[in-house]
């Protein structure tokens, strides 16, 4: 009973963290799409697609965990004690596939890959890896490798343009990347914290900051 | 070395200039936007089409004025600028 309660609390936390992350990813996607509508620049559209895929992947993960949550609850109430295996399989496979496609999209954007054949090759690899890694640990191993490339891209961007927004993007991707090995090593709580802080860092990009007027302040 | 301004930054500069002046002459926008005449025309046409700016005629001159939708859109553009900058788009 106590074990079930701990699992329930972890599942609740998992659902909350993943839904929060999905919301932030959707928010980024929404404003990228608005930027595309305004400028007609395709890079904004691709970026928007990358984040909407990430958002949908996170939602699918929450759907999977919600089905477990409801299954356990039914068990505790001694009613129909079964898990919908089909919902679980579809939800997790969709989560893995969408996350890998999102990661590949972000890698292609960060490294400004314009060759269509290379992009198609990368997406095919992502789909193959998703179908071959229907296992939590393998998903996190591949996810970690993918995110390392994104972190490197974010680091290069930060080095060429040092400001608070590029720093926040670097911190966010680093934390998301770290969450993968934390999941593998069963530090689930730390992984949730890393994931939550990662997406929270993305949210800080939207906070309006007053420009620093150092010249004026020095004059005073 | 100065980086090339993004399209979002140019639109932001034009809307802010129009907002600060109330109504602004095309030549002032040209100066504020730091654009060629042809490129400014492209941007203004697009902004008018999106109803973010309004063209008005007064005292025999043409002026541009930011619309209410344009004023509201500035905070959206700030968010878009944040994304463009953060991810190096």
């Amino acid at each position: 009973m106590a074990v079930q309660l701990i699992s329930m609390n972890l599942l609740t936390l998992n659902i909350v963290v993943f839904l929060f992350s999905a919301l932030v990813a959707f928010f980024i996607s929404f404003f990228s799409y608005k930027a595309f509508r305004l400028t007609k620049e395709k890079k904004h559209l691709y970026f928007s697609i990358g984040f909407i895929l990430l958002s949908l992947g996170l939602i699918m993960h929450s759907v999977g965990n919600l089905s477990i949550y409801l299954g356990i609850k039914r068990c505790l109430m001694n009613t129909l004690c079964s898990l919908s295996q089909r919902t679980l399989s579809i939800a997790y496979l969709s989560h893995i596939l969408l996350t890998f496609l999102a990661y590949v999209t972000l890698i292609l954007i960060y490294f400004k890959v314009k060759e269509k054949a290379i992009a198609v090759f990368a997406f095919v690899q992502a789909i193959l890896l998703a179908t071959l890694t229907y296992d939590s640990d393998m998903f996190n191993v591949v996810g970690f490798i993918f995110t390392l490339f994104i972190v490197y891209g974010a680091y290069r961007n930060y080095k060429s343009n040092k400001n608070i927004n590029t720093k926040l993007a670097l911190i966010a991707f680093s934390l998301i990347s770290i969450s993968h090995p934390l999941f593998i090593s069963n530090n689930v709580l730390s992984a949730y914290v890393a994931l939550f802080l990662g997406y929270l860092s993305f949210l800080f990009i939207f906070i309006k900051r007053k420009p620093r007027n150092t010249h004026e302040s020095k004059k005073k | 070395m100065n980086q090339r301004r993004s399209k979002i930054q140019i639109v932001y500069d034009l809307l802010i200039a129009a907002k600060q002046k109330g109504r602004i002459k095309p030549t002032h926008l040209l100066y504020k936007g730091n654009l060629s005449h042809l490129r400014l025309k492209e941007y203004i046409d697009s902004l008018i089409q999106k109803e973010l700016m309004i063209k008005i005629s007064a005292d025999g001159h043409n002026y541009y004025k930011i619309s209410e939708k344009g004023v509201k859109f500035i905070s959206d553009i700030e968010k878009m600028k944040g994304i463009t900058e953060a991810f190096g788009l």
Side-chain angles (χ1 to χ4, degrees):
Chain A
M1 186 78 168
V3 175
Q4 276 176 327
L5 277 174
I6 292 168
S7 322
M8 288 285 274
N9 289 337
L10 272 178
L11 269 175
T12 312
L13 188 67
N14 178 298
I15 293 164
V16 170
V17 169
F18 274 74
L19 282 180
F20 168 77
S21 307
L23 200 71
V24 175
F26 177 79
F27 202 54
I28 294 172
S29 173
F30 174 73
F31 280 102
S32 304
Y33 185 71
K34 270 195 148 188
F36 164 69
R37 292 268 311 266
L38 181 71
T39 63
K40 300 282 172 224
E41 286 177 319
K42 282 198 175 153
K43 60 185 179 182
H44 294 291
L45 178 66
Y46 298 145
F47 192 73
S48 171
I49 292 169
F51 267 90
I52 202 73
L53 287 171
L54 205 56
S55 178
L56 289 173
L58 291 161
I59 289 171
M60 289 318 285
H61 191 275
S62 302
V63 168
N65 280 350
L66 200 65
S67 78
I68 298 177
Y69 181 90
L70 295 173
I72 294 173
K73 214 168 181 183
R74 274 198 294 257
C75 287
L76 287 172
M77 288 159 71
N78 287 324
T79 55
L80 190 66
C81 191
S82 68
L83 290 174
S84 170
Q85 279 298 325
R86 206 168 169 196
T87 314
L88 259 180
S89 307
I90 293 168
Y92 284 136
L93 190 64
S94 312
H95 161 66
I96 293 170
L97 183 65
L98 291 164
T99 307
F100 284 173
L101 289 176
Y103 284 166
V104 166
T105 310
L106 293 176
I107 292 169
L108 293 174
I109 293 168
Y110 259 128
F111 292 95
K112 296 182 171 55
V113 176
K114 291 200 173 121
E115 190 68 54
K116 275 185 186 166
I118 294 173
V120 171
F121 174 73
F123 284 122
V124 170
Q125 294 295 312
I127 294 165
L128 282 174
L129 281 168
T131 50
L132 294 172
T133 58
Y134 186 59
D135 165 83
S136 182
D137 281 354
M138 271 314 287
F139 160 71
N140 282 308
V141 170
V142 178
F144 180 57
I145 295 166
F146 275 150
T147 49
L148 280 181
F149 282 97
I150 301 173
V151 170
Y152 177 60
Y155 173 73
R156 281 201 330 183
N157 185 39
Y158 171 67
K159 286 289 273 183
S160 66
N161 188 13
K162 281 189 179 175
N163 61 52
I164 186 72
N165 284 338
T166 52
K167 191 189 273 183
L168 281 167
L170 176 61
I171 292 168
F173 281 129
S174 303
L175 285 165
I176 293 167
S177 183
I178 288 165
S179 75
H180 287 295
L182 286 173
F183 276 119
I184 300 168
S185 58
N186 270 330
N187 286 311
V188 182
L189 206 62
S190 316
Y192 292 156
V193 172
L195 204 62
F196 175 75
L197 291 176
Y199 281 92
L200 193 67
S201 307
F202 278 141
L203 211 54
F204 278 113
I205 292 169
F206 294 106
I207 293 171
K208 199 180 170 184
R209 283 171 289 269
K210 280 182 185 170
R212 266 192 278 172
N213 202 344
T214 47
H215 184 68
E216 286 295 314
S217 54
K218 267 179 194 170
K219 262 186 176 179
K220 281 176 190 173
Chain B
M1 202 173 81
N2 281 340
Q3 281 196 322
R4 204 172 139 256
R5 276 187 310 163
S6 66
K7 281 188 180 177
I8 291 173
Q9 183 65 50
I10 295 168
V11 170
Y12 180 75
D13 290 344
L14 293 176
L15 288 178
I16 288 289
K19 191 188 168 196
Q20 282 170 349
K21 283 267 181 182
R23 62 177 195 181
I24 191 165
K25 280 184 178 176
T27 43
H28 285 139
L29 263 185
L30 205 74
Y31 162 71
K32 291 275 183 185
N34 195 19
L35 294 165
S36 69
H37 177 74
L38 198 69
R39 287 199 70 205
L40 178 74
K41 197 180 172 314
E42 282 172 20
Y43 275 100
I44 287 181
D45 285 349
S46 158
L47 290 174
I48 289 172
Q49 196 195 339
K50 289 183 171 75
E51 297 171 355
L52 299 172
M53 226 181 232
I54 307 160
K55 189 178 181 179
I56 48 170
S57 296
D59 321 320
H61 292 286
N62 284 330
Y63 293 93
Y64 293 100
K65 201 179 154 197
I66 189 167
S67 67
E68 225 170 274
K69 192 179 167 187
V71 175
K72 282 179 193 160
F73 197 66
I74 286 176
S75 80
D76 279 2
I77 295 193
E78 278 163 356
K79 290 184 180 75
M80 291 178 215
K81 262 176 60 184
I83 293 175
T84 309
E85 197 177 74
F87 302 101
L89 296 176

